[in-house]
Amino acid sequence: MSFTDNQKVVGWAFFIIGFLMVIAALLQLVDGFTLDGGLGEHAGYIIAAIGALIAAVLYFLFGNKVRTGALSGKLNILGSYVNIVGVTTVVIGIFAAIGGIMSDISFWDNVVAIILGLIVIWAASKIADGKTTTMDKILWIILTVVFLVLFVVSFLGLFSLEGEGITLVVNILTSICYAIVYLFMLCYMFDNDVKKGMGM
């Protein structure tokens, strides 16, 4: 079994990223209660933090499914990963946009994020719909390029991390996990079952 055939590795990477996202969202929620400003400012940031927490929990649950084998098969994992990226983007965007009505969080930037998230969800639905169309081939090319770029960026980012103590450790762990995820997704793109499922 090759390294990228062991889904527990990428499952643990998903799981750890999700766990760290939950912690970050909880800290964001605490900050929402303690930051300077009036009631509206507090409420806006708290609402945005709730969205971040919901998204983090969804990502965590997805990661746990891959880690335990409840979700298996490279095409299924690939499609589900793209879907969870879209879903979490939409969830965070909706809550942040609502929060932006009451605070200085950018409303329109989050509206754009929601639209992009919906496009990603649509793309995910095309990956594992059992049909092979020209759009599947286009998506294969786009995703392959995206995962390659993200892997290179996350890998190179390991050599320019900042922070001290626990912050540095968390940053290193997060970067390693993201690098693993993007490497696995990139390798999945060249798997025979994935290529066949996407008409390549």
Side-chain angles (χ1 to χ4, degrees):
M1 178 186 292
S2 68
F3 176 71
T4 54
D5 284 331
N6 187 352
Q7 81 170 52
K8 280 188 175 296
V9 175
V10 73
W12 272 107
F14 285 136
F15 182 84
I16 293 170
I17 291 171
F19 177 77
L20 293 175
M21 285 174 65
V22 170
I23 298 300
L26 288 173
L27 292 175
Q28 182 181 340
L29 188 60
V30 172
D31 285 343
F33 284 102
T34 59
L35 58 79
D36 295 330
L39 179 61
E41 196 72 14
H42 282 273
Y45 276 90
I46 290 170
I47 291 171
I50 291 172
L53 181 59
I54 293 172
V57 170
L58 291 174
Y59 194 103
F60 176 81
L61 293 174
F62 159 74
N64 194 49
K65 283 184 179 181
V66 178
R67 183 183 65 86
T68 60
L71 177 64
S72 61
K74 293 178 181 179
L75 186 62
N76 288 332
I77 293 174
L78 173 67
S80 296
Y81 172 65
V82 174
N83 183 67
I84 198 65
V85 169
V87 169
T88 53
T89 300
V90 170
V91 170
I92 291 172
I94 289 174
F95 279 81
I98 295 172
I101 297 173
M102 295 174 278
S103 67
D104 60 3
I105 298 173
S106 175
F107 175 81
W108 290 109
D109 285 353
N110 285 291
V111 170
V112 172
I114 293 169
I115 294 172
L116 291 175
L118 291 172
I119 293 173
V120 172
I121 292 172
W122 171 81
S125 71
K126 299 293 293 181
I127 292 174
D129 63 0
K131 303 175 183 178
T132 54
T133 63
T134 302
M135 183 54 67
D136 288 281
K137 296 178 181 180
I138 294 173
L139 285 173
W140 186 91
I141 295 171
I142 293 173
L143 288 174
T144 300
V145 173
V146 168
F147 288 138
L148 175 60
V149 171
L150 289 175
F151 170 69
V152 171
V153 170
S154 59
F155 180 76
L156 294 178
L158 286 168
F159 302 98
S160 59
L161 294 174
E162 298 180 354
E164 297 179 356
I166 188 65
T167 300
L168 181 59
V169 172
V170 170
N171 288 340
I172 292 173
L173 181 60
T174 302
S175 293
I176 290 174
C177 287
Y178 272 114
I180 290 173
V181 166
Y182 298 139
L183 175 61
F184 267 73
M185 294 303 103
L186 179 61
C187 291
Y188 280 9
M189 300 307 299
F190 294 95
D191 177 77
N192 288 333
D193 289 338
V194 172
K195 290 172 67 177
K196 181 179 179 182
M198 299 186 72
M200 298 299 291

